[in-house]
Amino acid sequence: MKKIALSSDHGGYQLKMEIIEYLQTKGYELVDLGADSGESVDYPEYGAKAAQAIINNDVDCAIIMCGSGIGISIAANKFKGIRAALCFDAYTAKMCREHNDANIMAIGGRITTIDRAKDMVDLFLETPFEGGRHQRRLDKIDTLAADSWK
Ligand code: RB5
C-alpha cells in the first residue's frame, strides 16, 4: 500500500483534512506534514516539506494544496526529482500520471470541491505511468535543467 504525504497552507487546509479523512477509509498510510490549522502560513514551507519527504524516500508520493494550488506547486517543483502537477479535474489528474509520472499532485483548495478532489486523488494514486516516449521527455527535462541545479 502506498505511503502518501499531505501538506497545505491555510488556503488548502480544509480540503487537506477532508482528503485525509477520505484516504483513511481506503487504508493508505498517510503522513500529514501540516499546516495544522487554518491560520495563515507560508506555502513554500509546505511545498518543501512534501518534496523533501519524497526525496528522502519517506513516502511514495504527495498531495499538496494551497488556495489556488499554484504557489505550492511552484515551490515543490524547485526540488530535484520532483514532478509536481497542478491538477484541476479527472483528466489532468490521470494525465499527470500517464504522461508526466508526477510524484506530487497539487490542488487548489479554494477552487476544488471535495467530490472532485476525491476523483482526482483516486486517479492520481491508481494510474500507472506509460513510460516509453514520455520517459524520454522526462529525461530531457532533467538534462535541460541540470545546469541550473549545480
Ligand atoms: C494564500 O492567500 C494564497 O496566496 C496561497 O494559498 C496560494 O493560493 C498561493 O499560490
Side-chain angles (χ1 to χ4, degrees):
M1 202 44 123
K2 278 188 174 141
K3 191 169 175 185
I4 308 159
L6 294 105
S7 71
S8 75
D9 73 353
H10 52 292
Y13 174 73
Q14 193 188 325
L15 187 64
K16 174 174 68 93
M17 298 318 289
E18 289 171 343
I19 290 175
I20 287 174
E21 200 175 308
Y22 174 62
L23 289 177
Q24 277 168 344
T25 68
K26 299 197 138 203
Y28 287 107
E29 199 179 337
L30 307 177
V31 182
D32 184 353
L33 299 173
D36 299 323
S37 77
E39 247 176 68
S40 184
V41 290
D42 295 337
Y43 63 78
E45 289 176 29
Y46 297 91
K49 280 176 197 267
Q52 281 155 350
I54 291 174
I55 289 165
N56 296 336
N57 283 316
D58 294 336
V59 296
D60 298 301
C61 61
I63 300 168
I64 62 179
M65 285 135 278
C66 63
S68 63
I70 296 171
I72 201 162
S73 62
I74 291 173
N77 272 318
K78 295 293 180 191
F79 289 77
K80 191 174 179 184
I82 296 303
R83 293 176 301 281
L86 176 53
C87 295
F88 302 98
D89 54 14
Y91 179 75
T92 48
K94 186 163 180 274
M95 292 306 290
C96 85
R97 290 292 313 134
E98 285 185 350
H99 286 196
N100 311 112
D101 198 18
N103 46 17
I104 297 185
M105 178 167 67
I107 312 178
R110 292 180 180 147
I111 54 170
T112 314
T113 64
I114 182 59
D115 285 343
R116 176 173 287 216
K118 283 178 184 172
D119 288 344
M120 293 165 65
V121 163
D122 287 344
L123 285 160
F124 174 66
L125 296 175
E126 290 163 18
T127 304
F129 177 47
E130 281 181 2
R133 69 186 186 281
H134 303 298
Q135 184 60 58
R136 185 187 73 234
R137 290 164 185 162
L138 294 180
D139 292 343
K140 201 170 270 195
I141 293 174
D142 288 350
T143 306
L144 292 170
D147 281 349
S148 74
W149 286 330
K150 282 178 189 158

